[in-house]
């Protein structure tokens, strides 16, 4: 094992010579790259849509929506909530890369439904530094989708807010259920 790999494995708490998950991912990339052909596309999404979704590993966004490489911008975070950083990404997406629609996708059984702001306080106590972010926990997934839609629709940085729709993905059936915006 090269010295750099040995140091990397040690810093990750892995026994020297043991393969890590990241090692496997890098090897998979080498296999992927061996057959890679430049698709010849630009950074602008073909469908001019940005998808904001939870980072939950059970949600295969491209498969669930029938998307292909290059169709959309994908922005994922814990809960799929619209935070300042989400607005930042959507602003780039719309203003620099021509997207016009936003689809928001939360899901059933989200881990944020079982957390509270206590998680943030516990992190602060453990680390000794206050996190700059809010937990954005919620108990009502439908209401959180409505809140996310409202944040997108009212952002002064987003010029295209007329086609913003929100959904809840059911992790047991794979179906989307549309959430009506607040009246």
């Amino acid at each position: 094992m090269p010295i750099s790999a040995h140091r990397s494995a040690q810093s990750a708490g892995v026994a020297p010579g043991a393969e890590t998950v990241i090692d496997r991912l890098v090897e998979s990339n080498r296999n992927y790259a061996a057959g890679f052909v430049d698709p010849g596309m630009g950074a602008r999404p073909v469908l001019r849509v940005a998808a904001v979704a939870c980072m939950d590993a059970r949600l295969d966004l491209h498969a669930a929506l029938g998307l292909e490489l290059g169709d959309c911008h994908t922005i994922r975070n814990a809960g799929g909530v619209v935070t300042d950083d989400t607005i930042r990404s959507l602003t780039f997406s719309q203003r620099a890369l021509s997207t016009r629609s936003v689809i928001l996708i939360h899901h059933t059984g989200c881990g944020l439904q079982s957390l509270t702001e206590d998680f943030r306080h516990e992190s602060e106590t453990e680390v000794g530094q206050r996190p700059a972010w809010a937990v954005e926990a919620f108990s009502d997934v439908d209401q959180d989708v409505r809140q996310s839609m409202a944040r997108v629709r009212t952002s002064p940085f987003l010029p295209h807010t007329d086609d913003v729709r929100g959904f809840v993905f059911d992790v047991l059936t794979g179906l989307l259920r549309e959430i009506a915006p607040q009246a």
Side-chain angles (χ1 to χ4, degrees):
M1 173 182 282
I3 290 174
S4 61
H6 177 75
R7 285 188 186 133
S8 183
Q10 279 183 324
S11 67
V14 176
E19 183 180 61
T20 68
V21 170
I22 294 174
D23 291 331
R24 291 197 323 254
L25 296 174
V26 170
E27 182 59 31
S28 291
N29 173 256
R30 286 187 191 107
N31 295 332
Y32 168 79
F36 184 77
V37 176
D38 178 1
M41 62 179 66
R44 294 176 193 252
V46 173
L47 299 179
R48 298 175 67 169
V49 64
V52 177
C54 185
M55 66 186 196
D56 192 293
R58 296 172 290 180
L59 179 52
D60 182 348
L61 199 58
H62 276 72
L65 300 176
L67 296 169
E68 299 293 330
L69 181 66
D71 281 348
C72 76
H73 283 156
T74 305
I75 303 160
R76 294 183 79 157
N77 65 27
V81 296
V82 175
T83 62
D84 287 345
D85 195 58
T86 306
I87 294 294
R88 172 185 166 269
S89 294
L90 287 171
T91 300
F92 294 144
S93 180
Q94 289 190 358
R95 292 185 177 270
L97 296 165
S98 303
T99 60
R100 297 293 180 263
S101 301
V102 178
I103 182 171
L104 304 166
I105 302 175
H106 288 35
H107 65 90
T108 58
C110 184
L112 283 186
Q113 289 178 280
S114 63
L115 293 177
T116 66
E117 283 298 316
D118 289 342
F119 180 83
R120 183 173 182 231
H121 300 302
E122 291 163 4
S123 297
E124 178 181 2
T125 300
E126 182 181 325
V127 175
Q129 180 178 339
R130 176 177 222 128
W133 39 262
V135 173
E136 298 276 354
F138 55 88
S139 58
D140 182 337
V141 69
D142 291 17
Q143 183 54 34
D144 202 62
V145 171
R146 286 185 194 97
Q147 178 176 301
S148 289
M149 284 190 284
R151 285 178 175 173
V152 170
R153 287 186 172 140
T154 60
S155 173
F157 302 106
L158 302 176
H160 307 287
T161 59
D162 56 325
D163 190 16
V164 177
R165 293 170 62 188
F167 298 84
V168 174
F169 176 84
D170 188 313
V171 298
L172 299 177
T173 67
L175 289 173
L176 290 175
R177 178 175 51 83
E178 188 159 11
I179 304 301
Q182 291 177 339

